[in-house]
Amino acid sequence: LMEGDPRVVAVTAAMPGGTGLVPGAERFPDRVGDVGICEQHAIGLSAGMAEMGLKPIAAIYSTFLQRGYDQVFQEVAIQQLPVVLAMDRAGIVGGDGVTHQGLFDIAYLRTIPRIALMAPADPPELDAMLRHAIAQPTPTAVRFPRGSVPDSRLPGNDGRLRHGRGVRLRAGDDLVLVAYGSMVRTALDVADLLAEQGIEATVFNARFARPLDTSAIDRFVERFPLMLTLEEHAVSGGFGSAVLEHLATRESTDCVVRLVGVPDRFVPHGETKDWIARLQLDAPGTVSYTHLTLPTMIIRCRSRWWAVH
């Protein structure tokens, strides 16, 4: 992005290495700023840069952006300045401990009017989302996890990125898994496990938590008797909550909606993989959490009848 447009600048708060800005700083030393441990100033500075016609990307850990919430609200959002918030370490971060868990950014940002919230399902989609974000005339936030994942694109995730729209990655007739960000990969694994039991799931990569793809959600609740939302974020106020808030505007629905995410607790120090399993956010845990493995469960989706024991 910096190669292609001299207006693109990057700002971080004492985390140039963690956010991957060191190579950019070496190549473009005048266009990467480290303000030290002062997220408030990082956001305020980015707002000023945007006001002057630059295209700032504020690269800040998800959990530490909370420190700059007032500036996101006052300096960026109210003025509708095109600042991109690149939120690293979104989700469970493992060894860094409870203070670094990025589990609340969806909740504290989606209350702000006219800010777009995105989360990629794979590295190529992160590239596409950053390019999309930098082209927007209004504030945009992109959350992405810590850790190494394959650079290859997830199967079916090559659909064109459209603002406020998701993409279907897998088709099934029995239920729908609506996943956000890192949990899309998990949703595909869940669908594989369910297929072994003869249960076929549609998998939908939501891509946006704001604006939500409400047209897709409406289609799903009309077609399926069960919807699961999946997110590596606190359930309270998160992506699943956004889905439920939209469904509350409908007159009625026969679809059962279950939210899969981090329960109402702080997540302490520990390996990411271990905590994902403990919180039942891995594929086997998600299947177990939704009780879809019960042998006495009878699914008659096409006739929309359920019998669950």
Side-chain angles (χ1 to χ4, degrees):
L1 289 172
M2 296 177 78
E3 285 177 345
D5 190 339
R7 295 172 296 172
V8 177
V9 295
V11 179
T12 189
M15 297 295 177
T19 57
L21 288 180
V22 172
E26 292 173 347
R27 296 186 60 188
F28 306 101
D30 295 333
R31 293 164 58 194
V32 176
D34 182 357
V35 303
I37 304 178
C38 189
E39 288 78 8
Q40 297 92 329
H41 177 47
I43 302 302
L45 176 63
S46 297
M49 289 176 168
E51 179 68 25
M52 296 305 294
L54 297 177
K55 296 183 176 182
I57 301 177
I60 299 176
Y61 289 7
S62 162
T63 185
F64 295 146
L65 184 61
Q66 295 168 115
R67 298 172 180 165
Y69 183 82
D70 184 56
Q71 283 69 32
V72 173
F73 174 69
Q74 296 277 6
E75 315 300 340
V76 175
I78 288 179
Q79 300 183 78
Q80 286 296 285
L81 293 172
V83 173
V84 177
L85 305 174
M87 297 182 296
D88 196 357
R89 266 64 168 185
I92 297 173
V93 299
D96 287 334
V98 64
T99 60
H100 284 54
Q101 309 286 15
L103 300 175
F104 309 103
D105 57 89
I106 302 172
Y108 70 68
L109 286 176
R110 74 178 184 87
T111 58
I112 298 176
R114 297 181 63 191
I115 186 171
L117 306 183
M118 295 183 285
D122 53 33
E125 192 165 69
L126 174 57
D127 292 343
M129 285 184 173
L130 284 174
R131 295 181 185 279
H132 179 79
I134 205 69
Q136 299 306 303
T138 51
T140 307
V142 185
R143 79 184 313 255
F144 50 96
R146 179 186 185 181
S148 177
V149 296
D151 288 336
S152 60
R153 190 178 296 279
L154 287 174
N157 198 35
D158 52 358
R160 180 172 63 89
L161 183 64
R162 296 184 295 167
H163 196 76
R165 294 295 185 91
V167 60
R168 189 183 68 177
L169 305 190
R170 177 171 176 156
D173 294 326
D174 296 326
L175 73 156
V176 59
L177 308 171
V178 181
Y180 188 57
S182 60
M183 291 296 285
V184 174
R185 189 179 299 272
T186 301
L188 289 170
D189 293 339
V190 170
D192 287 339
L193 292 178
L194 293 175
E196 295 175 0
Q197 305 170 43
I199 302 170
E200 295 299 329
T202 285
V203 175
F204 187 74
N205 174 9
R207 288 182 170 171
F208 287 80
R210 182 185 177 96
L212 189 67
D213 191 344
T214 54
S215 60
I217 299 299
D218 288 341
R219 292 196 305 271
F220 294 151
V221 296
E222 291 171 1
R223 177 182 175 187
F224 297 102
L226 176 63
M227 175 193 296
L228 274 65
T229 67
L230 292 81
E231 60 192 305
E232 195 175 333
H233 182 276
V235 169
S236 299
F239 170 74
S241 292
V243 172
L244 290 180
E245 287 168 17
H246 168 67
L247 293 179
T249 67
R250 295 172 55 94
E251 290 187 4
S252 63
T253 177
D254 295 328
C255 182
V256 175
V257 181
R258 290 180 175 171
L259 310 188
V260 178
V262 177
D264 190 21
R265 60 172 298 178
F266 290 111
V267 179
H269 172 93
E271 292 299 321
T272 300
K273 184 176 181 180
D274 292 341
W275 273 112
I276 290 289
R278 288 188 195 185
L279 296 170
Q280 296 185 299
L281 298 180
D282 57 357
T286 299
V287 171
S288 174
Y289 170 83
T290 56
H291 306 294
L292 292 177
T293 56
L294 292 179
T296 54
M297 185 172 194
I298 304 169
I299 302 179
R300 300 172 182 173
C301 292
R302 293 173 184 82
S303 63
R304 299 189 67 81
W305 284 94
W306 282 68
V308 182
H309 177 66

